[in-house]
Amino acid sequence: MGEDVRETVDRRDDPRGVTPWDRAPWRAAALAWAGSALAAHGLRETGERRVRLRPWSVLTRISVEDGEPVWFKANPPASAFEAGLTEALSRWAPAHGLRPLAAVAVDPARGWSLLPDGGPLFRDVLDAGPADPRAWEVPLARYAELQRDLTPRTAEIEALGVPAARTAGLPEVFDRLVAANTALDGDGRRALRALRPRLADWCAELADAGVADCLDHADLHEGQLFAPAPDRFTFFDWGDASVTHPFCGLLVPLRAARARYGPAVLPRLRDAYLEPWGGAGADAAGLRRAASLALRLGAIGRAGAWARLFPEAPAAGAGSGAADSARWLRELLTEPLL
């Protein structure tokens, strides 16, 4: 990579962990790999390099001569599968995934990827336009279509290292999360353990609802999809993903829509998401019941992502995601959005 390139670094203090960017050998290896991947695509870095450091990733915007910027991403070990998953999605669902620049632009073992610019974020499009409570309808339908189309590839997705949190096994996932969490107080732990029989019933009912487990993004908020053209959406940032009931993926986008537009929009958005699933053998009432169960159980996936990315340290405290994981576990005690 060019030595004359200007570099700006965006650091955010976060007690949950540090990135490897400040380790000179790692940084040199990452930049050399990115430079080789650019060269394989006939590109050369120029201008300004913008580095964003977060405990969950190193993200670098690289300016290139005569072209749109490209992005280098490095995931931590717990989400290193994202690089291979991103490459696979670019082949399996090219209309909905970012395509790596070249075959050498993904290193699954190290969790590195070099990707093209995806265009404007959905969040920026929403902020720039008039308030439209129906704005989430099309992206949710597209997301459902993506999940449905990927269902036959579920075993391949798990083979890439995407964590399995199968619907029938969610009670055991819940047990492990509650037992390991150090941020739950006594009352919270007792309440969750008392909930366990009902939670097992919800999981069993959802597993029998007629919709197979498949890929769930698990964190599909407004900043996790691009909107490069009208009615076209690209889903990215799969580091929290798991294989579970697909409807669990409704939790985060419906929370985002409620925060922006209020709760009245939720039934319409839920139904927009469920429409592509209408051929799965369940009637509308059955699909809505399944969505209600999944909206509650989706909190297990969010708790699991925090626990996975920031595991408990021997002394717990600052380096762990225990507080965030506990917050999502406590969400199981509340009524679902719908």
Side-chain angles (χ1 to χ4, degrees), residues 264-288:
V265 305
L266 299 186
R268 184 184 206 110
L269 299 184
R270 174 203 58 200
D271 290 348
Y273 170 83
L274 292 176
E275 185 173 353
W277 298 101
D283 59 19
L287 289 171
R288 288 171 178 165

Side-chain angles (χ1 to χ4, degrees), residues 49-129:
R49 180 191 306 151
R50 300 178 187 173
V51 183
R52 194 196 74 164
L53 304 180
R54 299 292 186 265
W56 49 85
S57 69
V58 171
L59 187 64
T60 304
R61 181 185 185 275
I62 300 171
S63 300
V64 298
E65 283 185 335
D66 303 322
E68 295 294 324
V70 298
W71 298 81
F72 167 77
K73 184 172 185 179
N75 289 80
S79 63
F81 64 83
E82 184 185 345
L85 177 62
T86 297
E87 189 278 330
L89 291 176
S90 76
R91 291 183 284 107
W92 297 338
H96 299 302
L98 285 172
R99 182 176 294 278
L101 289 177
V104 295
V106 170
D107 186 333
R110 291 191 285 192
W112 292 356
S113 53
L114 193 68
L115 299 164
D117 188 80
L121 288 173
F122 186 46
R123 173 189 296 145
D124 295 337
V125 172
L126 293 179
D127 289 345

Side-chain angles (χ1 to χ4, degrees), residues 73-216:
K73 184 172 185 179
N75 289 80
S79 63
F81 64 83
E82 184 185 345
L85 177 62
T86 297
E87 189 278 330
L89 291 176
S90 76
R91 291 183 284 107
W92 297 338
H96 299 302
L98 285 172
R99 182 176 294 278
L101 289 177
V104 295
V106 170
D107 186 333
R110 291 191 285 192
W112 292 356
S113 53
L114 193 68
L115 299 164
D117 188 80
L121 288 173
F122 186 46
R123 173 189 296 145
D124 295 337
V125 172
L126 293 179
D127 289 345
D132 180 5
R134 301 181 61 173
W136 266 104
E137 288 186 23
V138 174
L140 282 173
R142 297 286 185 272
Y143 178 56
E145 292 165 2
L146 172 65
Q147 291 179 297
R148 183 197 61 197
D149 293 347
L150 289 172
T151 299
R153 297 189 179 274
T154 297
E156 295 173 80
I157 291 169
E158 287 182 328
L160 292 171
V162 178
R166 298 284 189 150
T167 307
L170 283 178
E172 288 70 36
V173 176
F174 168 82
D175 291 341
R176 292 194 296 270
L177 290 169
V178 172
N181 192 283
T182 60
L184 288 168
D185 60 19
D187 289 342
R189 196 177 302 276
R190 282 188 291 273
L192 287 168
R193 286 175 173 162
L195 181 70
R196 210 281 189 178
R198 293 177 63 204
L199 183 139
D201 290 341
W202 298 333
C203 293
E205 182 181 353
L206 185 58
D208 290 339
V211 177
D213 290 340
C214 64
L215 181 66
D216 171 29

